[in-house]
């Protein structure tokens, strides 16, 4: 029982020893059952590690069955490699082919189209583990179609790497708009940004709005 309740449970593994500032950030974030946090720091300070530690802890306590990882195309491979190397996390990479696959006919006679965001259920009717990743470019494209499909599916955790690209301007940013659609459907939301308010105060405020829309009114207002 003491081991289960230990403050560092889920924050230590044999592949990586967290630094003090990383442990502090993760412990503060995981005080909540469903954390919604912006991890904002300079490149190289270990934001991906912090996100991985949060996700590892959520998984241990059963709060990370359905996980969606979003990242710019240019950053996706590096993020996936870091998660796999440090934590042995495996994500299914979704591409446009997953959304355009031809419908298939099941034994029941029903025809089903592609459903890349949906997961199978176990014998108890509970969703099985479903960890997938999609680029911000694909999420924000197609006039928000994929973002709406992702939102309709619902998620335990949504992680956005490279969140500094979620910039807000008068015309809107495709990536920001896509995450805005998905964020309410996420119990936990983790944004990783290498830029703070000193770079673009309005976009920084917009990222905070994604986390807590009631506390931070829409930057459109």
């Amino acid at each position: 029982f003491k081991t289960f309740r230990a403050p560092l449970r889920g924050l230590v593994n044999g592949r990586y020893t967290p630094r003090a500032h990383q442990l502090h950030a993760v412990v503060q974030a995981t005080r909540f059952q469903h954390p919604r946090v912006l991890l904002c720091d300079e490149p190289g300070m270990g934001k991906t590690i912090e996100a991985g530690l949060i996700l590892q802890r959520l998984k241990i306590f059963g709060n990370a069955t359905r996980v969606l990882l979003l990242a710019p195309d240019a950053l996706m491979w590096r993020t996936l490699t870091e998660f796999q190397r440090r934590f042995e996390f495996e994500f299914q990479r979704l591409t446009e082919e997953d959304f355009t696959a031809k419908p298939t006919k099941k034994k029941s006679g029903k025809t089903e189209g592609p459903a890349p965001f949906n997961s199978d259920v176990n014998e108890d009717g509970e969703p099985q583990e479903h960890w997938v990743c999609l680029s911000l470019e694909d999420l924000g494209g197609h006039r928000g179609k994929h973002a709406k499909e992702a939102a309709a599916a619902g998620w335990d955790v949504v992680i956005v790497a490279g969140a500094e690209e979620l910039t807000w301007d008068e015309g809107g940013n495709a990536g920001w708009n896509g995450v805005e659609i998905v964020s309410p459907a996420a119990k936990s939301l983790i944004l990783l940004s290498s830029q703070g308010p000193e770079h673009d105060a309005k976009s920084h405020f917009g990222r905070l709005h994604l986390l807590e829309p009631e506390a931070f009114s829409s930057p459109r207002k």
Side-chain angles (χ1 to χ4, degrees):
F1 180 77
K2 290 183 179 180
T3 301
F4 185 79
R5 294 293 301 275
L8 297 184
R9 176 176 169 80
L11 302 184
V12 180
N13 62 40
R15 290 172 170 259
Y16 183 75
T17 301
R19 301 172 186 173
H21 75 275
Q22 294 171 328
L23 277 177
H24 175 75
V26 174
V27 169
Q28 292 300 312
T30 53
R31 290 169 55 202
F32 304 93
Q33 183 179 9
H34 302 297
R36 297 177 70 86
V37 295
L38 170 61
L39 302 178
C40 185
D41 212 335
E42 297 178 359
M45 294 299 290
K47 296 183 295 296
T48 305
I49 295 296
E50 292 172 2
L53 290 169
I54 294 172
L55 183 56
Q56 181 173 265
R57 191 169 172 90
L58 291 175
K59 181 179 180 181
I60 287 176
F61 286 101
N63 294 322
T65 300
R66 290 178 47 77
V67 181
L68 174 63
L69 170 63
L70 302 169
D73 266 324
L75 192 60
M76 181 64 79
W77 183 84
R78 189 174 73 184
T79 304
L80 290 174
T81 300
E82 190 79 350
F83 277 147
Q84 200 283 328
R85 186 164 62 97
R86 299 293 190 186
F87 303 98
E88 295 186 327
F89 293 158
E90 297 288 348
F91 289 86
Q92 176 191 348
R93 177 72 185 271
L94 298 180
T95 65
E96 195 57 34
E97 293 181 357
D98 294 299
F99 296 94
T100 58
K102 294 182 179 179
T104 57
K105 183 167 290 188
K106 302 184 69 175
K107 292 181 179 180
S108 61
K110 294 183 179 180
T111 300
E112 285 194 352
F117 293 125
N118 297 331
S119 56
D120 295 329
V121 296
N122 57 26
E123 295 179 353
D124 298 324
E126 297 293 330
Q128 294 182 349
E129 188 170 285
H130 191 57
W131 289 29
V132 297
C133 61
L134 182 70
S135 72
L136 283 173
E137 290 85 350
D138 285 339
L139 179 77
H142 303 277
R143 297 183 178 179
K145 177 182 177 183
H146 295 339
K148 294 175 183 176
E149 292 171 339
W155 302 94
D156 293 323
V157 186
V158 171
I159 300 175
V160 184
E164 66 274 4
E165 295 199 10
L166 303 181
T167 56
W168 188 89
D169 53 42
E170 296 303 325
N173 169 274
W176 192 93
N177 292 340
V179 177
E180 183 185 32
I181 294 172
V182 174
S183 59
K187 296 177 182 177
S188 297
L189 179 62
I190 306 170
L191 306 181
L192 315 181
S193 175
S194 61
Q195 295 182 1
E198 66 278 5
H199 292 88
D200 184 347
K202 191 170 186 178
S203 292
H204 182 78
F205 188 88
R207 291 188 280 272
L208 294 176
H209 167 75
L210 296 174
L211 296 171
E212 297 290 343
E214 294 184 0
F216 302 91
S217 61
S218 172
R220 290 193 175 92
K221 297 180 180 179

